Amino acid sequence: MVFAAGGFKVKLYDIAQQQLTTALENVRKQMKELEESGFLKGTLSAEKQLALISVCTDMKAAVEGATFIQECTPENLELKKMIFSQLDLIVDDSVILSSSTSCLLPSKLFTGLKHVKQCIVSHPVNPPYFVPLVEIVPHPETDPSVTEKTYALMKKVGQSPVKLNREIEGFVLNRLQYAVISEAWRLVGVCISNYCERYREGMKLVLNTFGPVPEFSGEIEQKINQAMSEKVPAVPKHLGARREWRDDCLIGLAKLKKQMKSN
């Protein structure tokens, strides 16, 4: 949605056709709602933006003619390495290979690839459409022009990129975020089970560079999970409702910022 809003043709790739079908349905629904509320990004109508988005289940066909490839798979090092090794065999020497990883180091993702100089991390914040921060982290061998082109592209599509001069565990955002979560854990044990399951290892990896780190598991996790599950049951319809509530709040903040600027 962010790239289409910037006027770029976008091709979504996945191995499962149903994932792509669902994605297009969700994008159409969200764009229409944003257009009706006056918060659709870009100068093109929702229909024109939707016309820029296509889908594909064949990786080689998906990347043909691409100038920028953004990998958005789960935070799994081996999975990401496998995908980049596949891309490395089929891309040319001009395309930028970018990962959405939140804390995996570029040196662990890209070292050994033939096109390593074209590789970079562009870590967005969820939901990218409403939170424009993007952390840009180069591999030690990344060509400086790739960093500059990625930065310029993110600016062009309305994001707020931040360049790191070197890689570091957790980059900037998660080093700050995990420090807060870690201290919250120490004080009151604030961490829900799903978050811990998804990000436990990443948090520990980053926080090990800080000092003694909580395990984010055990009795505290169970108690907090039980309390949070009572408030927000961990079923899709409830999680979906919470995400809609979050996005509505972000739209409200965007309206307030727009009002403040006009005043």
Side-chain angles (χ1 to χ4, degrees), residues 103 178 185 191-208 213-218 221-222:
C103 64
Y178 292 170
W185 181 274
C191 186
I192 65 174
S193 178
N194 179 259
Y195 190 92
C196 289
E197 287 174 7
R198 292 170 63 192
Y199 299 113
R200 179 185 291 125
E201 296 307 314
M203 288 193 288
K204 288 165 63 177
L205 176 71
V206 174
L207 288 166
N208 272 323
V213 181
E215 287 299 319
F216 300 107
S217 60
E221 179 187 2
Q222 294 170 13

PDB file of all heavy atoms in Angstrom, residues 103 178 185 191-208 213-218 221-222:
ATOM      1  N   CYS A 103      15.613  -7.269  13.735  1.00  0.00           N
ATOM      2  CA  CYS A 103      16.876  -7.214  14.497  1.00  0.00           C
ATOM      3  C   CYS A 103      17.955  -8.190  14.027  1.00  0.00           C
ATOM      4  O   CYS A 103      19.031  -8.227  14.611  1.00  0.00           O
ATOM      5  CB  CYS A 103      16.617  -7.415  15.994  1.00  0.00           C
ATOM      6  SG  CYS A 103      15.958  -9.020  16.456  1.00  0.00           S
ATOM      7  N   TYR A 178      13.280  -2.719  23.527  1.00  0.00           N
ATOM      8  CA  TYR A 178      13.566  -3.862  24.389  1.00  0.00           C
ATOM      9  C   TYR A 178      14.081  -3.424  25.757  1.00  0.00           C
ATOM     10  O   TYR A 178      13.857  -4.114  26.758  1.00  0.00           O
ATOM     11  CB  TYR A 178      14.582  -4.791  23.725  1.00  0.00           C
ATOM     12  CG  TYR A 178      14.061  -5.504  22.492  1.00  0.00           C
ATOM     13  CD1 TYR A 178      14.909  -6.215  21.650  1.00  0.00           C
ATOM     14  CD2 TYR A 178      12.710  -5.458  22.153  1.00  0.00           C
ATOM     15  CE1 TYR A 178      14.447  -6.864  20.525  1.00  0.00           C
ATOM     16  CE2 TYR A 178      12.228  -6.102  21.018  1.00  0.00           C
ATOM     17  CZ  TYR A 178      13.104  -6.807  20.209  1.00  0.00           C
ATOM     18  OH  TYR A 178      12.626  -7.436  19.093  1.00  0.00           O
ATOM     19  N   TRP A 185       9.442  -5.607  32.606  1.00  0.00           N
ATOM     20  CA  TRP A 185       9.400  -6.989  33.098  1.00  0.00           C
ATOM     21  C   TRP A 185       9.941  -7.051  34.526  1.00  0.00           C
ATOM     22  O   TRP A 185       9.383  -7.700  35.401  1.00  0.00           O
ATOM     23  CB  TRP A 185      10.231  -7.872  32.174  1.00  0.00           C
ATOM     24  CG  TRP A 185      10.238  -9.323  32.574  1.00  0.00           C
ATOM     25  CD1 TRP A 185      11.069  -9.929  33.466  1.00  0.00           C
ATOM     26  CD2 TRP A 185       9.362 -10.342  32.089  1.00  0.00           C
ATOM     27  NE1 TRP A 185      10.770 -11.252  33.568  1.00  0.00           N
ATOM     28  CE2 TRP A 185       9.727 -11.545  32.737  1.00  0.00           C
ATOM     29  CE3 TRP A 185       8.320 -10.365  31.158  1.00  0.00           C
ATOM     30  CZ2 TRP A 185       9.086 -12.753  32.491  1.00  0.00           C
ATOM     31  CZ3 TRP A 185       7.677 -11.562  30.911  1.00  0.00           C
ATOM     32  CH2 TRP A 185       8.052 -12.739  31.573  1.00  0.00           C
ATOM     33  N   CYS A 191       4.485  -8.502  29.909  1.00  0.00           N
ATOM     34  CA  CYS A 191       4.805  -9.121  28.616  1.00  0.00           C
ATOM     35  C   CYS A 191       3.771 -10.208  28.351  1.00  0.00           C
ATOM     36  O   CYS A 191       3.590 -11.084  29.185  1.00  0.00           O
ATOM     37  CB  CYS A 191       6.202  -9.720  28.633  1.00  0.00           C
ATOM     38  SG  CYS A 191       6.734 -10.342  27.029  1.00  0.00           S
ATOM     39  N   ILE A 192       3.053 -10.147  27.230  1.00  0.00           N
ATOM     40  CA  ILE A 192       2.054 -11.191  26.934  1.00  0.00           C
ATOM     41  C   ILE A 192       2.711 -12.356  26.235  1.00  0.00           C
ATOM     42  O   ILE A 192       3.736 -12.211  25.567  1.00  0.00           O
ATOM     43  CB  ILE A 192       0.890 -10.634  26.086  1.00  0.00           C
ATOM     44  CG1 ILE A 192       1.359 -10.198  24.729  1.00  0.00           C
ATOM     45  CG2 ILE A 192       0.199  -9.475  26.767  1.00  0.00           C
ATOM     46  CD1 ILE A 192       0.268  -9.785  23.804  1.00  0.00           C
ATOM     47  N   SER A 193       2.079 -13.530  26.348  1.00  0.00           N
ATOM     48  CA  SER A 193       2.694 -14.772  25.877  1.00  0.00           C
ATOM     49  C   SER A 193       3.013 -14.739  24.389  1.00  0.00           C
ATOM     50  O   SER A 193       4.096 -15.119  23.976  1.00  0.00           O
ATOM     51  CB  SER A 193       1.764 -15.948  26.179  1.00  0.00           C
ATOM     52  OG  SER A 193       2.317 -17.145  25.690  1.00  0.00           O
ATOM     53  N   ASN A 194       2.066 -14.274  23.553  1.00  0.00           N
ATOM     54  CA  ASN A 194       2.289 -14.275  22.108  1.00  0.00           C
ATOM     55  C   ASN A 194       3.491 -13.420  21.735  1.00  0.00           C
ATOM     56  O   ASN A 194       4.308 -13.805  20.898  1.00  0.00           O
ATOM     57  CB  ASN A 194       1.039 -13.762  21.390  1.00  0.00           C
ATOM     58  CG  ASN A 194       1.221 -13.720  19.882  1.00  0.00           C
ATOM     59  OD1 ASN A 194       1.470 -12.665  19.306  1.00  0.00           O
ATOM     60  ND2 ASN A 194       1.134 -14.875  19.251  1.00  0.00           N
ATOM     61  N   TYR A 195       3.626 -12.276  22.369  1.00  0.00           N
ATOM     62  CA  TYR A 195       4.761 -11.390  22.083  1.00  0.00           C
ATOM     63  C   TYR A 195       6.064 -12.090  22.471  1.00  0.00           C
ATOM     64  O   TYR A 195       7.047 -12.071  21.732  1.00  0.00           O
ATOM     65  CB  TYR A 195       4.607 -10.071  22.844  1.00  0.00           C
ATOM     66  CG  TYR A 195       5.597  -9.014  22.414  1.00  0.00           C
ATOM     67  CD1 TYR A 195       5.278  -8.104  21.404  1.00  0.00           C
ATOM     68  CD2 TYR A 195       6.870  -8.939  22.981  1.00  0.00           C
ATOM     69  CE1 TYR A 195       6.184  -7.144  20.989  1.00  0.00           C
ATOM     70  CE2 TYR A 195       7.779  -7.994  22.582  1.00  0.00           C
ATOM     71  CZ  TYR A 195       7.442  -7.093  21.578  1.00  0.00           C
ATOM     72  OH  TYR A 195       8.355  -6.156  21.173  1.00  0.00           O
ATOM     73  N   CYS A 196       6.053 -12.718  23.656  1.00  0.00           N
ATOM     74  CA  CYS A 196       7.257 -13.411  24.125  1.00  0.00           C
ATOM     75  C   CYS A 196       7.639 -14.556  23.198  1.00  0.00           C
ATOM     76  O   CYS A 196       8.814 -14.745  22.883  1.00  0.00           O
ATOM     77  CB  CYS A 196       7.042 -13.941  25.540  1.00  0.00           C
ATOM     78  SG  CYS A 196       6.997 -12.650  26.795  1.00  0.00           S
ATOM     79  N   GLU A 197       6.649 -15.315  22.764  1.00  0.00           N
ATOM     80  CA  GLU A 197       6.930 -16.444  21.888  1.00  0.00           C
ATOM     81  C   GLU A 197       7.552 -15.991  20.578  1.00  0.00           C
ATOM     82  O   GLU A 197       8.462 -16.605  20.050  1.00  0.00           O
ATOM     83  CB  GLU A 197       5.641 -17.226  21.610  1.00  0.00           C
ATOM     84  CG  GLU A 197       5.155 -18.041  22.805  1.00  0.00           C
ATOM     85  CD  GLU A 197       3.815 -18.672  22.540  1.00  0.00           C
ATOM     86  OE1 GLU A 197       3.335 -18.585  21.392  1.00  0.00           O
ATOM     87  OE2 GLU A 197       3.237 -19.244  23.482  1.00  0.00           O
ATOM     88  N   ARG A 198       7.038 -14.884  20.044  1.00  0.00           N
ATOM     89  CA  ARG A 198       7.505 -14.403  18.746  1.00  0.00           C
ATOM     90  C   ARG A 198       8.856 -13.691  18.836  1.00  0.00           C
ATOM     91  O   ARG A 198       9.682 -13.799  17.932  1.00  0.00           O
ATOM     92  CB  ARG A 198       6.472 -13.453  18.139  1.00  0.00           C
ATOM     93  CG  ARG A 198       5.182 -14.144  17.732  1.00  0.00           C
ATOM     94  CD  ARG A 198       4.119 -13.134  17.358  1.00  0.00           C
ATOM     95  NE  ARG A 198       4.498 -12.352  16.200  1.00  0.00           N
ATOM     96  CZ  ARG A 198       3.850 -11.247  15.817  1.00  0.00           C
ATOM     97  NH1 ARG A 198       2.811 -10.820  16.506  1.00  0.00           N
ATOM     98  NH2 ARG A 198       4.236 -10.586  14.753  1.00  0.00           N
ATOM     99  N   TYR A 199       9.094 -12.963  19.924  1.00  0.00           N
ATOM    100  CA  TYR A 199      10.265 -12.088  19.976  1.00  0.00           C
ATOM    101  C   TYR A 199      11.245 -12.408  21.102  1.00  0.00           C
ATOM    102  O   TYR A 199      12.229 -11.707  21.282  1.00  0.00           O
ATOM    103  CB  TYR A 199       9.815 -10.631  20.094  1.00  0.00           C
ATOM    104  CG  TYR A 199       8.989 -10.170  18.922  1.00  0.00           C
ATOM    105  CD1 TYR A 199       7.634  -9.861  19.075  1.00  0.00           C
ATOM    106  CD2 TYR A 199       9.550 -10.064  17.655  1.00  0.00           C
ATOM    107  CE1 TYR A 199       6.864  -9.449  17.993  1.00  0.00           C
ATOM    108  CE2 TYR A 199       8.787  -9.655  16.566  1.00  0.00           C
ATOM    109  CZ  TYR A 199       7.454  -9.346  16.745  1.00  0.00           C
ATOM    110  OH  TYR A 199       6.705  -8.941  15.681  1.00  0.00           O
ATOM    111  N   ARG A 200      10.990 -13.483  21.878  1.00  0.00           N
ATOM    112  CA  ARG A 200      11.838 -13.821  23.029  1.00  0.00           C
ATOM    113  C   ARG A 200      13.312 -13.905  22.654  1.00  0.00           C
ATOM    114  O   ARG A 200      14.161 -13.265  23.274  1.00  0.00           O
ATOM    115  CB  ARG A 200      11.373 -15.147  23.634  1.00  0.00           C
ATOM    116  CG  ARG A 200      12.217 -15.608  24.821  1.00  0.00           C
ATOM    117  CD  ARG A 200      11.765 -16.988  25.285  1.00  0.00           C
ATOM    118  NE  ARG A 200      10.442 -16.910  25.889  1.00  0.00           N
ATOM    119  CZ  ARG A 200       9.392 -17.636  25.504  1.00  0.00           C
ATOM    120  NH1 ARG A 200       9.518 -18.477  24.480  1.00  0.00           N
ATOM    121  NH2 ARG A 200       8.233 -17.535  26.102  1.00  0.00           N
ATOM    122  N   GLU A 201      13.623 -14.703  21.625  1.00  0.00           N
ATOM    123  CA  GLU A 201      15.024 -14.905  21.265  1.00  0.00           C
ATOM    124  C   GLU A 201      15.671 -13.627  20.752  1.00  0.00           C
ATOM    125  O   GLU A 201      16.830 -13.336  21.053  1.00  0.00           O
ATOM    126  CB  GLU A 201      15.155 -16.033  20.235  1.00  0.00           C
ATOM    127  CG  GLU A 201      14.728 -17.400  20.759  1.00  0.00           C
ATOM    128  CD  GLU A 201      15.422 -17.766  22.061  1.00  0.00           C
ATOM    129  OE1 GLU A 201      16.654 -17.582  22.141  1.00  0.00           O
ATOM    130  OE2 GLU A 201      14.744 -18.229  23.001  1.00  0.00           O
ATOM    131  N   GLY A 202      14.907 -12.878  19.960  1.00  0.00           N
ATOM    132  CA  GLY A 202      15.444 -11.605  19.449  1.00  0.00           C
ATOM    133  C   GLY A 202      15.723 -10.619  20.572  1.00  0.00           C
ATOM    134  O   GLY A 202      16.754  -9.942  20.586  1.00  0.00           O
ATOM    135  N   MET A 203      14.795 -10.536  21.547  1.00  0.00           N
ATOM    136  CA  MET A 203      14.997  -9.636  22.683  1.00  0.00           C
ATOM    137  C   MET A 203      16.222 -10.032  23.487  1.00  0.00           C
ATOM    138  O   MET A 203      17.046  -9.198  23.868  1.00  0.00           O
ATOM    139  CB  MET A 203      13.753  -9.624  23.574  1.00  0.00           C
ATOM    140  CG  MET A 203      12.568  -8.901  22.975  1.00  0.00           C
ATOM    141  SD  MET A 203      11.244  -8.573  24.176  1.00  0.00           S
ATOM    142  CE  MET A 203      10.579 -10.231  24.421  1.00  0.00           C
ATOM    143  N   LYS A 204      16.360 -11.335  23.734  1.00  0.00           N
ATOM    144  CA  LYS A 204      17.505 -11.809  24.510  1.00  0.00           C
ATOM    145  C   LYS A 204      18.819 -11.537  23.770  1.00  0.00           C
ATOM    146  O   LYS A 204      19.813 -11.135  24.384  1.00  0.00           O
ATOM    147  CB  LYS A 204      17.350 -13.297  24.807  1.00  0.00           C
ATOM    148  CG  LYS A 204      16.270 -13.592  25.839  1.00  0.00           C
ATOM    149  CD  LYS A 204      15.865 -15.050  25.872  1.00  0.00           C
ATOM    150  CE  LYS A 204      16.980 -15.967  26.268  1.00  0.00           C
ATOM    151  NZ  LYS A 204      16.548 -17.368  26.359  1.00  0.00           N
ATOM    152  N   LEU A 205      18.800 -11.739  22.445  1.00  0.00           N
ATOM    153  CA  LEU A 205      19.999 -11.499  21.643  1.00  0.00           C
ATOM    154  C   LEU A 205      20.461 -10.051  21.758  1.00  0.00           C
ATOM    155  O   LEU A 205      21.640  -9.765  21.975  1.00  0.00           O
ATOM    156  CB  LEU A 205      19.705 -11.844  20.175  1.00  0.00           C
ATOM    157  CG  LEU A 205      20.839 -11.566  19.179  1.00  0.00           C
ATOM    158  CD1 LEU A 205      21.970 -12.555  19.384  1.00  0.00           C
ATOM    159  CD2 LEU A 205      20.318 -11.655  17.753  1.00  0.00           C
ATOM    160  N   VAL A 206      19.503  -9.130  21.623  1.00  0.00           N
ATOM    161  CA  VAL A 206      19.834  -7.706  21.695  1.00  0.00           C
ATOM    162  C   VAL A 206      20.204  -7.299  23.116  1.00  0.00           C
ATOM    163  O   VAL A 206      21.207  -6.617  23.356  1.00  0.00           O
ATOM    164  CB  VAL A 206      18.643  -6.854  21.199  1.00  0.00           C
ATOM    165  CG1 VAL A 206      18.931  -5.373  21.420  1.00  0.00           C
ATOM    166  CG2 VAL A 206      18.387  -7.116  19.719  1.00  0.00           C
ATOM    167  N   LEU A 207      19.400  -7.750  24.087  1.00  0.00           N
ATOM    168  CA  LEU A 207      19.607  -7.330  25.468  1.00  0.00           C
ATOM    169  C   LEU A 207      20.869  -7.919  26.089  1.00  0.00           C
ATOM    170  O   LEU A 207      21.385  -7.373  27.069  1.00  0.00           O
ATOM    171  CB  LEU A 207      18.381  -7.698  26.316  1.00  0.00           C
ATOM    172  CG  LEU A 207      17.137  -6.845  26.032  1.00  0.00           C
ATOM    173  CD1 LEU A 207      15.899  -7.472  26.649  1.00  0.00           C
ATOM    174  CD2 LEU A 207      17.321  -5.430  26.576  1.00  0.00           C
ATOM    175  N   ASN A 208      21.376  -9.005  25.520  1.00  0.00           N
ATOM    176  CA  ASN A 208      22.632  -9.562  26.024  1.00  0.00           C
ATOM    177  C   ASN A 208      23.788  -8.589  25.845  1.00  0.00           C
ATOM    178  O   ASN A 208      24.832  -8.732  26.481  1.00  0.00           O
ATOM    179  CB  ASN A 208      22.953 -10.891  25.326  1.00  0.00           C
ATOM    180  CG  ASN A 208      22.321 -12.068  26.042  1.00  0.00           C
ATOM    181  OD1 ASN A 208      22.247 -12.082  27.268  1.00  0.00           O
ATOM    182  ND2 ASN A 208      21.852 -13.048  25.296  1.00  0.00           N
ATOM    183  N   VAL A 213      19.856 -10.179  31.524  1.00  0.00           N
ATOM    184  CA  VAL A 213      18.593 -10.118  30.784  1.00  0.00           C
ATOM    185  C   VAL A 213      17.573 -11.092  31.378  1.00  0.00           C
ATOM    186  O   VAL A 213      17.914 -12.229  31.689  1.00  0.00           O
ATOM    187  CB  VAL A 213      18.828 -10.509  29.302  1.00  0.00           C
ATOM    188  CG1 VAL A 213      17.537 -10.435  28.510  1.00  0.00           C
ATOM    189  CG2 VAL A 213      19.886  -9.602  28.688  1.00  0.00           C
ATOM    190  N   PRO A 214      16.289 -10.659  31.513  1.00  0.00           N
ATOM    191  CA  PRO A 214      15.255 -11.594  31.942  1.00  0.00           C
ATOM    192  C   PRO A 214      15.060 -12.689  30.902  1.00  0.00           C
ATOM    193  O   PRO A 214      15.380 -12.507  29.733  1.00  0.00           O
ATOM    194  CB  PRO A 214      13.991 -10.708  32.034  1.00  0.00           C
ATOM    195  CG  PRO A 214      14.500  -9.316  32.084  1.00  0.00           C
ATOM    196  CD  PRO A 214      15.773  -9.301  31.320  1.00  0.00           C
ATOM    197  N   GLU A 215      14.515 -13.830  31.316  1.00  0.00           N
ATOM    198  CA  GLU A 215      14.269 -14.931  30.395  1.00  0.00           C
ATOM    199  C   GLU A 215      12.964 -14.765  29.614  1.00  0.00           C
ATOM    200  O   GLU A 215      12.729 -15.460  28.633  1.00  0.00           O
ATOM    201  CB  GLU A 215      14.231 -16.263  31.150  1.00  0.00           C
ATOM    202  CG  GLU A 215      15.604 -16.737  31.608  1.00  0.00           C
ATOM    203  CD  GLU A 215      16.566 -16.974  30.452  1.00  0.00           C
ATOM    204  OE1 GLU A 215      16.127 -17.515  29.423  1.00  0.00           O
ATOM    205  OE2 GLU A 215      17.749 -16.609  30.583  1.00  0.00           O
ATOM    206  N   PHE A 216      12.074 -13.882  30.057  1.00  0.00           N
ATOM    207  CA  PHE A 216      10.774 -13.659  29.412  1.00  0.00           C
ATOM    208  C   PHE A 216       9.971 -14.964  29.334  1.00  0.00           C
ATOM    209  O   PHE A 216       9.331 -15.261  28.317  1.00  0.00           O
ATOM    210  CB  PHE A 216      10.924 -13.043  28.016  1.00  0.00           C
ATOM    211  CG  PHE A 216      11.621 -11.715  28.028  1.00  0.00           C
ATOM    212  CD1 PHE A 216      12.924 -11.601  27.573  1.00  0.00           C
ATOM    213  CD2 PHE A 216      10.987 -10.590  28.524  1.00  0.00           C
ATOM    214  CE1 PHE A 216      13.582 -10.383  27.596  1.00  0.00           C
ATOM    215  CE2 PHE A 216      11.637  -9.356  28.547  1.00  0.00           C
ATOM    216  CZ  PHE A 216      12.940  -9.255  28.089  1.00  0.00           C
ATOM    217  N   SER A 217      10.024 -15.750  30.386  1.00  0.00           N
ATOM    218  CA  SER A 217       9.285 -17.003  30.432  1.00  0.00           C
ATOM    219  C   SER A 217       9.039 -17.360  31.896  1.00  0.00           C
ATOM    220  O   SER A 217       9.433 -16.630  32.806  1.00  0.00           O
ATOM    221  CB  SER A 217      10.067 -18.120  29.729  1.00  0.00           C
ATOM    222  OG  SER A 217      11.318 -18.324  30.364  1.00  0.00           O
ATOM    223  N   GLY A 218       8.348 -18.481  32.104  1.00  0.00           N
ATOM    224  CA  GLY A 218       8.141 -18.951  33.463  1.00  0.00           C
ATOM    225  C   GLY A 218       6.855 -18.452  34.088  1.00  0.00           C
ATOM    226  O   GLY A 218       5.875 -18.134  33.408  1.00  0.00           O
ATOM    227  N   GLU A 221       5.330 -14.992  33.040  1.00  0.00           N
ATOM    228  CA  GLU A 221       4.710 -15.042  31.719  1.00  0.00           C
ATOM    229  C   GLU A 221       3.316 -15.678  31.791  1.00  0.00           C
ATOM    230  O   GLU A 221       2.362 -15.195  31.189  1.00  0.00           O
ATOM    231  CB  GLU A 221       5.581 -15.848  30.754  1.00  0.00           C
ATOM    232  CG  GLU A 221       4.983 -15.955  29.357  1.00  0.00           C
ATOM    233  CD  GLU A 221       5.762 -16.883  28.442  1.00  0.00           C
ATOM    234  OE1 GLU A 221       6.752 -17.487  28.900  1.00  0.00           O
ATOM    235  OE2 GLU A 221       5.364 -17.014  27.271  1.00  0.00           O
ATOM    236  N   GLN A 222       3.200 -16.761  32.547  1.00  0.00           N
ATOM    237  CA  GLN A 222       1.916 -17.448  32.674  1.00  0.00           C
ATOM    238  C   GLN A 222       0.860 -16.564  33.316  1.00  0.00           C
ATOM    239  O   GLN A 222      -0.297 -16.512  32.869  1.00  0.00           O
ATOM    240  CB  GLN A 222       2.097 -18.738  33.484  1.00  0.00           C
ATOM    241  CG  GLN A 222       2.960 -19.782  32.771  1.00  0.00           C
ATOM    242  CD  GLN A 222       3.329 -20.944  33.673  1.00  0.00           C
ATOM    243  OE1 GLN A 222       2.760 -21.109  34.749  1.00  0.00           O
ATOM    244  NE2 GLN A 222       4.300 -21.742  33.242  1.00  0.00           N
TER     245      GLN A 222
END
